[in-house]
Amino acid sequence: MTNDTKTIAALLQDIAKARSEYISLVDSINEDQAAHKISADTWNIIDITEHLFWAEQGAIYGMWKTLLAIRNGSAEKTYSSIHQNWTIEKIIEHTWKEKEEVPAVAAPRLGGTLRFWAASLSNLQQVLESFGNDLQMEELRLIAHPHPISGAMDFHQRLEFLRFHIQRHFLQVQTILHQL
């Protein structure tokens, strides 16, 4: 357990670094490689990148909507949850199965090109930074909207999750590339 709270700027920087590393990795991949499926029941690199976009867009939207609801009194302002003061890694360890089912809202569904999804994912950093400019340090440990698998998390943990999630899929893309 930890009760260390990073600054908003540090959390956003961690996400930006993970995003940059992911984008750099997929920028070196051609569209044929990106569309290749290792097996019928796995995602290809286009699917992974599309999923990252939908998951992060939904998370930012949900955090901002919840933050505004807390501020205007239409959502509960609370700091306590069963995962209070846990790192995102500990939350994932205690709430996820080895191969988790993706929530429908974050599932890849449009296909297309890797370049489109990589650019779309890259552009979310600006949206995230706008949210970060609105979020106040004293709000970081308020409980945000629940994660569809892990449940209750505060805004700090939700931001940590964005970094963790990108890094998790970075490793999956590396594994796919080694199998090509």
Side-chain angles (χ1 to χ4, degrees), residues 63-79:
M63 284 189 290
W64 223 333
K65 182 178 176 184
T66 301
L67 179 63
L68 294 178
I70 291 168
R71 287 177 179 169
N72 73 26
S74 63
E76 183 181 5
K77 181 178 184 176
T78 183
Y79 294 91

Side-chain angles (χ1 to χ4, degrees), residues 22 25-26 28-29 33-34 36-39 42-45 48 166-180:
Y22 184 88
L25 177 63
V26 299
S28 67
I29 301 167
Q33 291 171 312
H36 181 76
K37 283 189 171 257
I38 299 300
S39 68
T42 61
W43 286 350
N44 62 34
I45 296 168
I48 293 169
I166 294 168
Q167 289 173 333
R168 176 183 177 94
H169 288 297
F170 176 93
L171 295 174
Q172 287 178 337
V173 169
Q174 281 187 320
T175 299
I176 291 169
L177 290 174
H178 285 92
Q179 294 177 5
L180 291 178

Side-chain angles (χ1 to χ4, degrees), residues 92-105:
I92 298 301
E93 177 186 330
H94 284 83
T95 60
W96 284 32
K97 299 176 216 157
E98 188 172 325
K99 183 166 173 63
E100 199 55 71
E101 291 282 323
V102 66
V105 298

Side-chain angles (χ1 to χ4, degrees), residues 50 54 57 104-111:
E50 180 183 356
W54 291 123
Q57 182 187 55
V105 298
R109 54 193 172 273
L110 299 179

Side-chain angles (χ1 to χ4, degrees), residues 80-178:
S80 91
S81 80
I82 62 169
H83 305 129
Q84 190 168 359
N85 298 325
W86 287 15
T87 65
I88 195 59
E89 288 79 8
K90 183 173 181 174
I91 293 171
I92 298 301
E93 177 186 330
H94 284 83
T95 60
W96 284 32
K97 299 176 216 157
E98 188 172 325
K99 183 166 173 63
E100 199 55 71
E101 291 282 323
V102 66
V105 298
R109 54 193 172 273
L110 299 179
T113 69
L114 177 61
R115 299 294 163 250
F116 172 82
W117 291 114
S120 297
L121 180 63
S122 180
N123 287 331
L124 282 177
Q125 188 65 31
Q126 183 178 359
V127 178
L128 181 62
E129 288 175 11
S130 293
F131 169 72
N133 289 335
D134 194 19
L135 184 65
Q136 302 299 306
M137 275 300 293
E138 61 271 10
E139 296 169 320
L140 262 180
R141 290 300 181 174
L142 284 170
I143 302 304
H145 65 298
H147 183 273
I149 297 169
S150 298
M153 288 189 218
D154 60 34
F155 288 103
H156 188 279
Q157 292 163 330
R158 290 293 272 169
L159 291 170
E160 280 188 324
F161 179 79
L162 294 178
R163 183 248 334 136
F164 170 88
H165 191 235
I166 294 168
Q167 289 173 333
R168 176 183 177 94
H169 288 297
F170 176 93
L171 295 174
Q172 287 178 337
V173 169
Q174 281 187 320
T175 299
I176 291 169
L177 290 174
H178 285 92

